[in-house]
Amino acid sequence: MPAEDIVKRFKALGGTHAGYYANEGGLYVDSIRREDGRRRNPLRKTVEGLSALGETTESVTRFAEYLATIDRLPGGDTYANRLQGIKNAAEVTVDFSRKGEIGKWANAWIPYWNPAVQGIDKTVRTFFEQPDVAGKAKVLSRAAL
């Protein structure tokens, strides 16, 4: 399968939409894209560039995990393996799209609430997924660092 088809499938499954700010829209992205018709603000241009860089690096990492999952699972490129690949890709870094009703409210009023909660949640889940004491110690030492 051509590489561009694999990338299109990854995007269609939502692989690039696990970031804190929506990649394709939303209030934050819309506010940055608005133009007042007079001149382009250099600060806005810088923010757009940094945003694009962050989204690209995050997507590349997630895409690599998606491909690795499909290659690793028996059966190869099946629909079930693609879904598992997307799930694993979202878990590579902190999945900012995870939030509940309270989290959505708290994130609107407390800066960095959801990233903090998701980081702690990922650490706890990773700790309990480890089958042996050495694995649990490794997770705790990384969390302490």
Side-chain angles (χ1 to χ4, degrees), residues 120-131:
I120 293 168
D121 177 60
K122 179 157 174 94
T123 302
V124 170
R125 283 186 290 126
T126 304
F127 176 82
F128 284 110
E129 288 172 357
Q130 300 304 312

Side-chain angles (χ1 to χ4, degrees), residues 10-107:
F10 174 72
K11 288 180 178 180
L13 288 170
T16 59
H17 297 292
Y20 183 66
Y21 301 111
N23 292 350
E24 301 301 323
L27 295 177
Y28 177 75
V29 174
D30 288 345
S31 70
I32 288 185
R33 288 186 180 153
R34 278 192 207 113
E35 293 294 326
D36 59 359
R38 286 179 252 159
R39 64 174 200 254
R40 189 154 178 89
N41 184 340
L43 180 60
R44 181 179 296 162
K45 200 171 189 177
T46 303
V47 170
E48 285 176 351
L50 290 173
S51 175
L53 177 66
E55 290 169 5
T56 301
T57 57
E58 187 104 4
S59 293
V60 167
T61 305
R62 292 176 190 277
F63 184 61
E65 179 60 30
Y66 170 77
L67 291 177
T69 300
I70 289 174
D71 288 344
R72 185 175 53 243
L73 292 175
D77 190 13
T78 64
Y79 183 70
N81 289 353
R82 287 183 219 140
L83 292 180
Q84 185 63 44
I86 289 296
K87 180 181 179 290
N88 291 354
E91 291 291 321
V92 167
T93 58
V94 177
D95 186 1
F96 297 118
S97 65
R98 292 178 55 154
K99 58 188 168 287
E101 288 300 316
I102 294 172
K104 192 183 300 184
W105 176 86
N107 202 49

